[in-house]
Amino acid sequence: MSKQKTMSLTSDLVALCHSDIADPGPDSRWTPIGDDGYRALAERLDRENPDAPLWVFAYGSLIWKPEFQAIDNRRATAFGWHRSFCLSINRWRASREQPGLMMALARGGRCDGVVYRLPPADRVAQIERMLRREVSFIENVDSIRWLPVKTEGGPLKALGFWVGGTGERILSRRPLEDVAQVLARACGHLGSCAEYLYNTVTHLEEFGIRDRNLWRLQHLVAAEIRTIHGLNAPSALPSA
């Protein structure tokens, strides 16, 4: 069966999810990493991969908003992991009144993504910049790890963020229908969860990557947004 090429989740539907939300600031329950902590963690990660190129595995927003300069990129697969909207958030693309979900890598299956190679100069500073973008609290440092990935050019070791995280922020094995209800409603000062899903799916498509769960999820989120706003009923669920 051929793939449906048109997404159900459109930019117009995503726009309906936007609200002007003020940044509530950091959650006081968690411990900020701090400048010294970021530098020490960056130095440790650099020592763990001293003689090899610095590759980063992107499976979500790093694909469409990397915020770093790369000198090479290629498709890559991480076996034993899969994308999952399992990371509970109450800031950024959510609020304390309407918590949201972001993607992380959970155990099992496979994840097709993209690896980016960073320039060889000033590696510690590059790693630190990514750490500041991806992780804010000491409690989540254990979700940063080196991942073995396979590419057409051979196996690589790449730095991954939010991989196999644990703790009360991780909400695993939620049905896609429940996830869709959250993503269709959550919005924060950086945008909505629906926008995050939309950007991820569209940019994965540009790399020729069709994640079956995300494709189904974008249809469910589109249907949920239509229901919330009283729009026409969605079409039947497309095949992946």
Side-chain angles (χ1 to χ4, degrees), residues 107-124:
R107 290 193 179 276
R110 60 179 283 173
C111 179
D112 294 316
V114 180
V115 285
Y116 291 98
R117 181 178 177 182
L118 277 64
D122 208 8
R123 285 166 49 111
V124 171

Side-chain angles (χ1 to χ4, degrees), residues 50-66:
D51 301 320
L54 177 55
W55 293 90
V56 178
F57 182 65
Y59 59 91
S61 62
L62 279 177
I63 293 177
W64 47 272
K65 194 176 181 182

Side-chain angles (χ1 to χ4, degrees), residues 98-148:
Q98 180 61 68
L101 293 166
M102 298 292 279
M103 275 197 301
L105 289 185
R107 290 193 179 276
R110 60 179 283 173
C111 179
D112 294 316
V114 180
V115 285
Y116 291 98
R117 181 178 177 182
L118 277 64
D122 208 8
R123 285 166 49 111
V124 171
Q126 294 180 62
I127 295 172
E128 183 177 345
R129 186 163 57 248
M130 287 187 291
L131 290 172
R132 290 178 179 274
R133 178 195 190 276
E134 292 293 318
V135 183
S136 301
F137 305 114
I138 290 174
E139 289 82 359
N140 304 128
V141 166
D142 64 353
S143 68
I144 305 165
R145 67 178 70 196
W146 294 101
L147 285 172

Side-chain angles (χ1 to χ4, degrees), residues 23-45:
D23 182 2
D27 193 322
S28 60
R29 295 175 299 170
W30 313 113
T31 310
I33 294 175
D35 292 340
D36 291 343
Y38 277 121
R39 177 48 60 108
L41 181 55
E43 290 173 346
R44 191 199 83 193
L45 291 169

Side-chain angles (χ1 to χ4, degrees), residues 71-85:
I71 59 176
D72 190 11
N73 69 76
R74 62 189 69 168
R75 283 186 53 167
T77 301
F79 289 96
W81 302 95
H82 67 278
R83 294 178 182 83
S84 174
F85 273 92

